[in-house]
Amino acid sequence: MRILVLNQYYHPDQSSTAQLLTELCEDLAEHHEVTVVSGRPSYNPVERDVARREVVRGVRVVRSRSTTFHRANMAGRVTNYATYVASSFGDAMAAGRPDVVLAMTDPPVVAAAAAAVSRARGVPFVYVNQDLFPQVAVALGRLRNPAIVGGLSRLNRGLRRRAARIVAIGRDMAGRLIADGAPASKIHVIPNWADGRALRPLDGRSALRREHGWEGRFVVMHSGNVGLSQDLETFLDAAERLRDEPDVVCAIVGDGAGAAVLKERASRSGLCNVRFLPYQPKAELADSLGAADVHLISLRPGLSGAIVPSKVYGIMAAGKPFLAAVDPGSEPALLAEEHGCGVRVDPSCPDGLADAIRRVRGLPLAEMGRRAREAFESRYDRPIAAAAYRRLLEETASLGPSGCR
C-alpha cells in the first residue's frame, strides 16, 4: 500500500506533532510505502540544511519550497503556512498515485491540499485532527474577525465531510467534532502516544534533580511547550501563594511563545521557587520527567477537546502522577479519574492549584505513578497507536474510489 502524508512539520522539526508524525511514518514504513510532503524545517529544528528529497529510515521525504520565518512573528508564521500549502499540492501530485492520503493539521488548512490530491487521484483521504481550528485561535483571542472565523469554520466542516475517515486524538475532541457537524460514523478516536521503550520510570534518582539541588524538595513540573494555551500564568500565581513554603519548587522545562513574559514576571516578582530550564535532549527525557514529584498539565478554560495535551502520555510512560488543571470531561481529566494516576483541578484558579499542590503531597504518589505506567503500557504505547493507524489506513485504502466524496 502507498501512503501519502501531508503536514508542514516533520523531522528535523521538534514540535510535538512533528515528532509524533515522524515516529508514526517510520512505523508504517515497516509495512507499507510511505511518502511525506513536509515544509522546510522552521519549528525549533535540529538542523535546517536538509535535502529537498531524501529517504529517512524508510520514509520518502519531500520538502516543499516553504519559507522558514521564525514562528514568534505571526506574519512570518502565516507566510510559512501559505507558502507550504501553495507548494504542497504540486509536490504531492508529483509523488505518484497513492492508495490513501493522510493529512494532519499543521497548518490548519493543509487538509484542503490533501482533499484536492484525493479528488484528483481518485483515492480516499484520512483527516487527523491534532487540534481544532479556528476554535483554538478564537478561544485564545488570536482570531476575532467574524467573517474569517465563519469562513474557516465552513472550510473545515467541508473538509471533514470530504474525508473518508476522521481521527480525533481524544474522546473530548470526538465530542466537539460531532457537535460541530462531523459525521459520527467517520470518527475514530486514536490517542497520541509515547515510546515506552525509550521512556521508562527511573531506577534511581534523577541526575537533573541532583544537578539543580532539588533533593529533599517537592518538585512540581511543567514540561513541554510554553505557549499561550498552557495558561502558565496561573502556575506562577500559584507559585506566589506557595512562596513561603521553601521546599516546593515550581519548574518550567521547555520553551515557546510565552516563555520570555513568564521569566520576566517571575524575576520582577522575586519568585525564587520558580525555575526555568530549556528543552532537555530527547535522550535525557526520562531523567528530566523523572526529576518531578508530580507534573502539571494545564489548559485555558474552553480549550477542552480543541487541544489534547499529548505530553500526558510521556508523563505516564515515565511512571509519574499529574495535576490536571483542565475543564471537567477533558481527556487528561478522564485519564486521571479512570486510572487513579492524577488529580483534576479547575483551570485558571491559582488558589485551587496551590491547594492541590499542598494536598497531593499527602497522596501515595509512587502508587499513582505505578498505575500511570500500567495504563500507558496497556493503551498508550507507541506500537499500539501505530497498529491502530495501520488498520485504519488499510481499511480506508480498501474503499478505493468509493471512499472519495
Side-chain angles (χ1 to χ4, degrees):
M1 180 174 71
R2 297 178 298 277
I3 304 168
L4 176 65
V5 180
L6 280 78
N7 196 70
Q8 180 165 359
Y9 300 119
Y10 192 79
H11 179 81
D13 276 311
Q14 289 296 291
S15 71
S16 174
T17 303
Q19 294 187 53
L20 288 166
L21 182 59
T22 300
E23 291 178 353
L24 174 61
C25 290
E26 289 174 359
D27 290 346
L28 291 172
E30 295 180 3
H31 306 276
H32 298 292
E33 181 182 315
V34 180
T35 299
V36 176
V37 177
S38 72
R40 293 168 60 203
S42 63
Y43 196 127
N44 296 327
V46 175
E47 55 185 303
R48 291 181 182 271
D49 186 18
V50 293
R52 178 155 150 70
R53 292 181 175 83
E54 62 180 335
V55 176
V56 184
R57 295 179 183 172
V59 179
R60 181 186 173 203
V61 182
V62 179
R63 298 184 178 90
S64 295
R65 292 185 176 88
S66 59
T67 56
T68 59
F69 294 110
H70 197 282
R71 285 176 49 85
N73 182 294
M74 182 54 67
R77 185 187 305 191
V78 171
T79 302
N80 293 347
Y81 285 167
T83 53
Y84 168 69
V85 172
S87 59
S88 62
F89 175 78
D91 285 327
M93 289 297 294
R97 186 180 187 277
D99 296 298
V100 62
V101 179
L102 181 147
M104 284 192 171
T105 47
D106 275 334
V109 295
V110 67
V117 174
S118 165
R119 185 180 296 277
R121 291 297 192 186
V123 299
F125 106 87
V126 176
Y127 190 2
V128 180
N129 291 266
Q130 287 290 331
D131 50 32
L132 302 187
F133 190 81
Q135 290 93 324
V136 172
V138 171
L140 294 177
R142 304 300 295 271
L143 188 60
R144 295 186 175 89
N145 186 300
I148 296 176
V149 171
L152 289 170
S153 296
R154 289 190 293 273
L155 171 63
N156 276 304
R157 289 191 196 105
L159 291 171
R160 291 174 193 131
R161 287 193 297 270
R162 173 78 177 79
R165 297 290 186 268
I166 302 166
V167 174
I169 61 171
R171 291 162 286 183
D172 52 351
M173 181 178 284
R176 285 192 72 154
L177 285 168
I178 293 170
D180 196 41
S185 60
K186 291 185 178 182
I187 295 175
H188 294 251
V189 176
I190 304 179
N192 284 340
W193 62 91
D195 188 343
R197 296 166 298 183
L199 190 52
R200 303 188 59 83
L202 296 181
D203 293 329
R205 302 299 287 176
S206 160
L208 185 73
R209 191 178 179 103
R210 291 194 303 272
E211 177 186 348
H212 291 279
W214 295 344
E215 296 287 3
R217 304 182 72 181
F218 188 77
V219 180
V220 185
M221 180 182 290
H222 164 87
S223 177
N225 184 44
V226 183
L228 301 177
S229 62
Q230 285 76 29
D231 190 24
L232 293 176
E233 297 90 345
T234 297
F235 194 20
L236 292 195
D237 290 338
E240 288 202 40
R241 289 153 174 78
L242 296 165
R243 67 192 312 160
D244 294 328
E245 301 179 35
D247 59 332
V248 175
V249 176
C250 298
I252 297 177
V253 182
D255 202 353
V261 172
L262 292 173
K263 290 176 182 178
E264 193 277 332
R265 179 189 159 186
S267 176
R268 186 179 66 249
S269 302
L271 292 177
C272 297
N273 57 348
V274 177
R275 307 293 175 80
F276 292 90
L277 279 69
Y279 276 116
Q280 301 299 295
K282 189 172 182 179
E284 299 172 18
L285 186 57
D287 185 83
S288 175
L289 294 177
D293 293 285
V294 65
H295 282 266
L296 174 67
I297 299 168
S298 58
L299 282 178
R300 292 188 183 278
L303 285 176
S304 173
I307 294 176
V308 181
S310 60
K311 71 175 190 173
V312 66
Y313 307 112
I315 293 166
M316 294 172 72
K320 289 294 179 177
F322 57 87
L323 285 168
V326 296
D327 290 325
S330 66
E331 192 66 27
L334 296 175
L335 294 173
E337 179 180 359
E338 290 170 354
H339 305 301
C341 60
V343 173
R344 191 198 76 83
V345 298
D346 288 334
S348 293
C349 180
D351 289 331
L353 180 56
D355 288 343
I357 291 171
R358 295 186 185 103
R359 188 173 69 252
V360 78
R361 300 181 68 174
L363 297 180
L365 297 180
E367 173 60 21
M368 293 172 69
R370 185 196 64 77
R371 290 196 292 262
R373 176 70 192 194
E374 186 177 81
F376 167 80
E377 290 179 349
S378 66
R379 300 190 185 186
Y380 308 112
D381 203 354
R382 174 177 170 176
I384 297 171
Y389 272 102
R390 180 184 169 194
R391 289 192 298 270
L392 177 64
L393 290 167
E394 289 173 348
E395 173 202 335
T396 306
S398 70
L399 299 173
S402 65
C404 303
R405 296 292 187 275

